Each structure stands twice: as structure tokens, then as C-alpha cells.
């Protein structure tokens, strides 16, 4: 293990990430252009002391960081495929045979597009609906993606196992979304072949959800490329939007973004959403509609 090089590599990757890219406040007292060590540690699920030791190349007893730790750092620092492999090489860890799931690096083409979508909610997900990256408006619209690992990292898995996940859609729309999710998962399972991750997920969902088992047995299949959604927002109420998907060449990742026809109520709500995002959702949950209107007017001056 090359600890000095590993530490130097982590420092340079941390310095290039701007806080806004990960939904963190810029702040006026920030002394570094990129992320702080504490922020990287928190986002990667590590202790601040341990991450600091990694960067300084002075890990106690020379203990190697685990594969899970390296994968979490690669995700947090938005490493591409070559950088991720380099990180594993420096840590003297074998590179995992597949780079799928929430620890996978975002494909550069999709990440480049996401970085340019600043005025519409957008996120990059896997074909199992695991969030890899998202912009500020997506967090404001959908809430920050939970830091789950394992099957629960998949929104589809949570849809059929955690009733709270469904609160973001009106109850009358739930049957439609269930059918769409299962048909899309059928396509992903066939594309991946005998992928153990998908096999385990399907087996667990069949046991835990009769609804999923019934839909799975229909063998309906359809890759989701476009859908109409009504999203329940805590401040703006129900927002009717169009959701588009752009798939990567291998189909393993996709960029999805939300929009609405000009002049529609959904378009107006998206404008208000940008105001809420700028002021942070936590500070506007109790804001009255008339105050939101005033905020929107002020943002247009």
C-alpha cells in the first residue's frame, strides 16, 4: 500500500469538488476551494479522524482501507472509472469485478449533462433506481436521497417494502408506478443476465410484497424512457411534471430530469421550486403561499 500517494491523490480529488455540486452550502468562512475533510468523511460514512489519517498517509498500524471504504470514497469524490481503479491500486486492494450500484462512478457523459442542468430537477440513477448524483433542484423536489446500502439503496426496493417511500406520489397513482417499476426492473434483470444483485432483490421482493410478486409474474417489460408524474411537495402541493430518461450506452445508468410545458401550473411551480431551493427547504416549510408568490416576484426583478 502506497500511503503517501494515496493521501495525495485523495487531497487533489477533494480539492476539485465544489460544495454546491453535492448540495452543500458554500459558506463565507470556507478556507478551501473544495470540500473539507470532515465533509468527505461524513458523506462517505467515515470518521473524520480516520479520513484525516488517510490523507496524511499515516494510518495507524498501516491498516488498509476496506473495499467498502474505497468504494464510498470513490462515490463521494465523483471519481471516474480510471480514477477509481487507481484508488484501489494505491490501497493495494483488488478492483471489484463490477462497478454497479450506488458505489459505481457516474458515467462521464451523463455527469457532464447533469452539471449543465441547473434550472431543472435532474439526477443520475442506475437501472435499479439507485441514485448516483443529483442537482440542487432534484433535492428540493424529491428530498435528499437516503444513504442506504444494499438492496435498500434501490428506490424500487423501498417502493415495495417501505410505505413511507410512496408518500411522494398521490395514492391514486401508486398502481401505475408499481407497474412501471416492475416492467422496468424486468428489462434490467434480463439485460444483466444472472446478476446476483438482481436475483437477490427479486427473491426478497417476491417474499415481502404480494403486489410485486403478482406484477412480476405478468412478465410485462418496458424500459422507462418517459412518464407523467404527479409529485407531492411539502410546500407547493401536487406538482404535475414530465419525467424524461436518457440511457447510457450499456443501459446501466440513466439521466432523468423533470420539466413541464411553458405556461402550465407545473412550470410555474418549478420556478417557485428554484426560489425554495435557494432559501433552503428547511426554512420555507411553513411559508404561506402569498409569501412564496412574493419570493418568486422578487427573484424575477
Amino acid at each position: 500500500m502506497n500511503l503517501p500517494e494515496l493521501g495525495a491523490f485523495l487531497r487533489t480529488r477533494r480539492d476539485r469538488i465544489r460544495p454546491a455540486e453535492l448540495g452543500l452550502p458554500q459558506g463565507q468562512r470556507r478556507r478551501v476551494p473544495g470540500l473539507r475533510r470532515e465533509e468527505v468523511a461524513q458523506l462517505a460514512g467515515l470518521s473524520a479522524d480516520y479520513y484525516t489519517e488517510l490523507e496524511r498517509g499515516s494510518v495507524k498500524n498501516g491498516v488498509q482501507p476496506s473495499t467498502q471504504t474505497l468504494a464510498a470514497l470513490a462515490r463521494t469524490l465523483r471519481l471516474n472509472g480510471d480514477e477509481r481503479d487507481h484508488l484501489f491500486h494505491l490501497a493495494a486492494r483488488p478492483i471489484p469485478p463490477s462497478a454497479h450500484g450506488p458505489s459505481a462512478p457516474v458515467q462521464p457523459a451523463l455527469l457532464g449533462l447533469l452539471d449543465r442542468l441547473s434550472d431543472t430537477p435532474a439526477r443520475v440513477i442506475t437501472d435499479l433506481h439507485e441514485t448516483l448524483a443529483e442537482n440542487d433542484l432534484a433535492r428540493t423536489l424529491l428530498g435528499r436521497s437516503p444513504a442506504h446500502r444494499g438492496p435498500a439503496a434501490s428506490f424500487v426496493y423501498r417502493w415495495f417494502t417501505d410505505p413511507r417511500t410512496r408518500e411522494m406520489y398521490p395514492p391514486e397513482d401508486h398502481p401505475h408506478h408499481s407497474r412501471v417499476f416492475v416492467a422496468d426492473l424486468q428489462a434490467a434483470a434480463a439485460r444483466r443476465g444472472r446478476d446476483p444483485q438482481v436475483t437477490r432483490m427479486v427473491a426478497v421482493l417476491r417474499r415481502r410484497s404480494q403486489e410485486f410478486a403478482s406484477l412480476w409474474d405478468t412478465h410485462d417489460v418496458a424500459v422507462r424512457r418517459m412518464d407523467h408524474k404527479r409529485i407531492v411537495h411539502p410546500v407547493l402541493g401536487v406538482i404535475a411534471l414530465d419525467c424524461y430518461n436518457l440511457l447510457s450506452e450499456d443501459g446501466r445508468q440513466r439521466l432523468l430530469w423533470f420539466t413541464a410545458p411553458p405556461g402550465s401550473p407545473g412550470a410555474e411551480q418549478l420556478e417557485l421550486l428554484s426560489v425554495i431551493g435557494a432559501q433552503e427547504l428547511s426554512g420555507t416549510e411553513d411559508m404561506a403561499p402569498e409569501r412564496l408568490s412574493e419570493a418568486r416576484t422578487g427573484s424575477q426583478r
Side-chain angles (χ1 to χ4, degrees):
M1 180 170 59
N2 192 335
L3 278 175
E5 284 297 322
L6 176 65
F9 183 64
L10 289 173
R11 284 195 300 276
T12 60
R13 300 309 93 180
R14 173 170 62 88
D15 288 343
R16 73 177 183 177
I17 301 292
R18 296 298 176 264
E21 296 177 29
L22 300 179
L24 298 173
Q26 182 66 43
Q28 296 182 352
R29 297 183 178 180
R30 186 174 290 273
R31 294 180 297 175
V32 295
L35 299 179
R36 301 186 179 100
R37 291 193 184 103
E38 295 79 6
E39 291 169 334
V40 174
Q42 181 179 7
L43 291 169
L46 308 175
S47 73
D49 289 342
Y50 179 69
Y51 179 75
T52 298
E53 288 179 357
L54 280 178
E55 275 206 8
R56 290 176 176 172
S58 58
V59 177
K60 294 178 181 178
N61 301 320
V63 177
Q64 290 176 291
S66 68
T67 298
Q68 292 77 12
T69 294
L70 295 172
L73 288 172
R75 179 182 67 251
T76 299
L77 297 173
R78 303 177 76 167
L79 304 186
N80 61 33
D82 291 337
E83 291 171 329
R84 173 182 173 275
D85 291 352
H86 185 61
L87 179 68
F88 276 81
H89 285 310
L90 291 176
R93 287 289 187 183
I95 298 173
S98 60
H100 309 301
S103 62
V106 183
Q107 295 195 11
L110 297 184
L111 185 59
L113 289 173
L114 176 65
D115 288 340
R116 288 167 173 75
L117 293 175
S118 59
D119 59 352
T120 189
R123 61 174 31 161
V124 178
I125 64 173
T126 71
D127 54 350
L128 299 186
H129 296 254
E130 302 153 319
T131 299
L132 302 177
E134 57 191 351
N135 63 15
D136 290 339
L137 278 180
R139 297 183 190 96
T140 306
L141 175 66
L142 307 170
R144 185 179 295 275
S145 297
H148 288 302
R149 295 184 180 182
S154 165
F155 184 84
V156 174
Y157 181 90
R158 299 197 305 275
W159 177 263
F160 290 102
T161 59
D162 184 355
R164 294 171 299 179
T165 301
R166 302 195 175 202
E167 294 175 357
M168 66 183 300
Y169 297 121
E172 58 270 26
D173 295 352
H174 293 179
H176 165 75
H177 292 303
S178 293
R179 291 192 299 271
V180 170
F181 285 141
V182 174
D184 190 70
L185 184 60
Q186 283 275 14
R191 184 188 310 113
R192 290 193 178 204
R194 298 182 180 275
D195 187 320
Q197 181 184 5
V198 181
T199 302
R200 287 194 298 268
M201 179 184 296
V202 171
V204 173
L205 287 176
R206 287 181 66 90
R207 291 196 304 269
R208 296 190 58 178
S209 171
Q210 182 58 49
E211 180 190 20
F212 176 87
S214 298
L215 290 171
W216 189 261
D217 288 340
T218 66
H219 295 281
D220 289 341
V221 58
V223 177
R224 188 179 70 170
R225 293 182 174 86
M226 188 272 179
D227 199 2
H228 299 285
K229 291 179 176 288
R230 295 193 303 157
I231 297 173
V232 180
H233 189 269
V235 177
L236 301 179
V238 177
I239 309 176
L241 299 171
D242 295 326
C243 178
Y244 293 93
N245 290 254
L246 176 65
L247 276 65
S248 61
E249 290 186 12
D250 61 4
R252 299 268 186 154
Q253 296 182 13
R254 62 186 66 173
L255 171 70
L256 60 86
W257 70 96
F258 299 85
T259 186
S264 67
E268 182 175 350
Q269 287 170 303
L270 282 181
E271 292 183 26
L272 292 174
L273 194 71
S274 64
V275 177
I276 294 173
Q279 300 178 359
E280 295 190 358
L281 181 58
S282 60
T284 59
E285 289 180 350
D286 298 324
M287 186 179 288
E290 59 269 20
R291 289 185 62 197
L292 281 174
S293 179
E294 291 172 4
R296 177 188 172 220
T297 301
S299 70
Q300 294 176 336
R301 291 174 183 168

